[in-house]
Amino acid sequence: DTGVSQNPRHKITKRGQNVTFRCDPISEHNRLYWYRQTLGQGPEFLTYFQNEAQLEKSRLLSDRFSAERPKGSFSTLEIQRTEQGDSAMYLCASSSMAGLLYEQYFGPGTRLTVT
Amino acid sequence: DQQVKQNSPSLSVQEGRISILNCDYTNSMFDYFLWYKKYPAEGPTFLISISSIKDKNEDGRFTVFLNKSAKHLSLHIVPSQPGDSAVYFCAASRSNDYKLSFGAGTTVTVRA
């Protein structure tokens, strides 16, 4: 079990550009969550998937954000027309319906800097 | 709105002593509570959890206490070790969606 992985670990982009992040959950974990963390704050929920179905999106997730989880395996989070306020750590977590759904396992995160 | 609050941004404790971290929540629908530990440049790591039907859960040096009437939980680390120096996040969840609501974190520094 290799844990949750996220790529890239760091991304610097200019305002207005599009970026895409990838998350590979623990194998056979059917729930996948995206969170965003800014300096001095705890992670904030963005969206989650059960298998390939996106079940909920936070109101924090503007129309510029889109997430997918094709085939219920890895997930991507895309931000279009990035703004400086999008600068944050984007965290992915997964959990298993065969285990304790409450206990989510996090990846190392992708740090986005928008200049 | 911040449904989970950690009012102490930092805590300094001497090695071997007890660390007590506090957390308050406002949503009475939360029925599961977790503590995560985070080192710099890493994602949060699950530490210990407690269901709302219990008032105490212990795992080695870590004990979590839950006071439902006060909507308060605490994490006790005893004895504290230098490797415990990290940011600790309190999180809460409901059984209908399991998404986590986090506090802002408490930075623990264990002094030798």
Side-chain angles (χ1 to χ4, degrees), chain A residues 9 89 91 107-109, chain B residues 38-45:
Chain A
R9 294 291 306 273
M89 175 74 82
L91 293 161
Chain B
K38 187 179 183 305
Y39 292 119
E42 295 183 10
T45 302

Side-chain angles (χ1 to χ4, degrees), chain A residues 51-108:
Chain A
N51 300 314
E52 66 275 10
Q54 188 173 18
L55 297 186
E56 186 175 343
K57 296 194 297 185
S58 163
R59 61 180 183 274
L60 293 175
L61 217 62
S62 76
D63 291 344
R64 298 184 296 105
F65 288 70
S66 62
E68 294 182 344
R69 192 183 183 197
K71 302 179 183 178
S73 57
F74 70 92
S75 176
T76 58
L77 178 67
E78 181 183 15
I79 309 175
Q80 296 182 328
R81 305 181 303 282
T82 52
E83 301 173 357
Q84 287 187 324
D86 297 331
S87 295
M89 175 74 82
Y90 290 84
L91 293 161
C92 175
S94 68
S95 66
S96 170
M97 294 190 75
L100 290 174
L101 277 169
Y102 295 104
E103 293 178 10
Q104 298 178 19
Y105 295 86
F106 283 81

Side-chain angles (χ1 to χ4, degrees), chain A residues 5 8 24 26 28 44-45 47 50 60 70 76 78 80 92 115:
Chain A
S5 61
D24 287 89
I26 294 172
E28 300 180 356
E44 293 177 292
F45 168 79
T47 187
Q50 182 166 306
L60 293 175
T76 58
E78 181 183 15
Q80 296 182 328
C92 175
T115 62

Side-chain angles (χ1 to χ4, degrees), chain B residues 19-21 35 47-48 62-64 73-77 88:
Chain B
S19 294
I20 299 176
L21 291 78
W35 286 93
L47 193 59
I48 191 170
F62 303 92
T63 303
V64 56
L73 63 154
S74 61
L75 174 67
H76 292 207
I77 307 173
Y88 289 79

Side-chain angles (χ1 to χ4, degrees), chain B residues 10-25:
Chain B
S10 63
L11 172 69
S12 180
V13 63
Q14 194 164 11
E15 183 178 1
R17 296 292 186 99
I18 184 171
S19 294
I20 299 176
L21 291 78
N22 294 302
C23 177
D24 297 292
Y25 62 96

